[in-house]
Amino acid sequence: MDGRKFRFAMGNFSTGVTVITTELDGEVSGMTANAFMSLSMDPELVVISIDEKAQMLEKIKRSGKYAVNILSAEQQDLSMNFAGQSKLDKDIPFQKLSGVPVIEGSLAQVSCEVTGSHVEGDHTLFIGRVNDIHLEDNEPLVFFKGKYRSLSPIEEMASG
């Protein structure tokens, strides 16, 4: 299969944008990711997918915890910073949620403890038991066909 065709096909699936954060030896680390999903409602479990080449892989393995920060439409600069596409001139506003660093102002902050991992292809899937959640009311940052986007409501069709 043509790898570019596969990549373009996967780009047709619009996603939210997250920054995965963790802390190891007092150092906070983060990376932009859109490979995130809920796994179970009872118990509350989520999954993140980390590339084998990512520096974050070993940090999550060693720390045993991570947070998923679902970014708002106003946080594109943070996404680009943690994706290595730009560098912010300001400090990142980290807070703690159940002992895990989270990004202030995110739509949702989901603090997790790693309960399992699974290597598949060139990624590791980390299953996280959700310890705590903090929510904000705002619009999401969206990624589609390689570009950041925002949502707008679909107008309801007039009934005839």
Side-chain angles (χ1 to χ4, degrees):
M1 178 182 295
D2 176 9
R4 285 181 358 146
K5 186 176 185 180
F6 179 75
R7 186 178 188 85
F8 287 138
M10 295 303 103
N12 281 309
F13 183 67
S14 60
T15 66
V17 180
T18 72
V19 170
I20 307 302
T21 51
T22 195
E23 185 172 18
L24 183 64
D25 301 327
E27 182 181 335
V28 176
S29 298
M31 68 170 274
T32 299
N34 63 359
F36 156 73
M37 66 176 211
S38 62
L39 177 64
S40 170
M41 297 297 286
D42 187 15
E44 292 91 355
L45 300 172
V46 297
V47 177
I48 58 172
S49 178
I50 308 293
D51 189 298
E52 65 185 20
K53 297 181 197 106
Q55 294 177 3
M56 190 65 122
L57 180 67
E58 194 59 33
K59 292 175 182 179
I60 292 174
K61 282 182 181 178
R62 290 184 53 212
S63 72
K65 59 188 177 184
Y66 63 86
V68 178
N69 300 272
I70 301 173
L71 300 186
S72 74
E74 289 82 34
Q75 294 178 308
Q76 180 179 334
D77 60 339
L78 289 171
S79 173
M80 294 175 73
N81 178 77
F82 286 106
Q85 297 169 336
S86 68
K87 195 72 180 155
L88 291 178
D89 293 334
K90 60 181 181 180
D91 288 336
I92 309 292
F94 290 111
Q95 298 176 323
K96 292 279 181 118
L97 184 66
S98 293
V100 183
V102 292
I103 298 174
E104 183 179 292
S106 299
L107 283 180
Q109 303 163 345
V110 184
S111 174
C112 304
E113 178 182 334
V114 175
T115 61
S117 63
H118 178 77
V119 177
E120 195 65 47
D122 58 3
H123 279 66
T124 297
L125 305 174
F126 287 103
I127 299 166
R129 187 185 75 235
V130 176
N131 294 325
D132 202 355
I133 292 176
H134 176 78
L135 300 171
E136 297 281 336
D137 187 26
N138 209 334
E139 292 297 313
L141 182 60
V142 178
F143 200 72
F144 176 67
K145 289 191 174 184
K147 295 186 175 156
Y148 292 101
R149 315 230 181 197
S150 59
L151 289 180
S152 59
I154 297 175
E155 298 298 322
E156 289 188 37
M157 295 175 37
S159 57

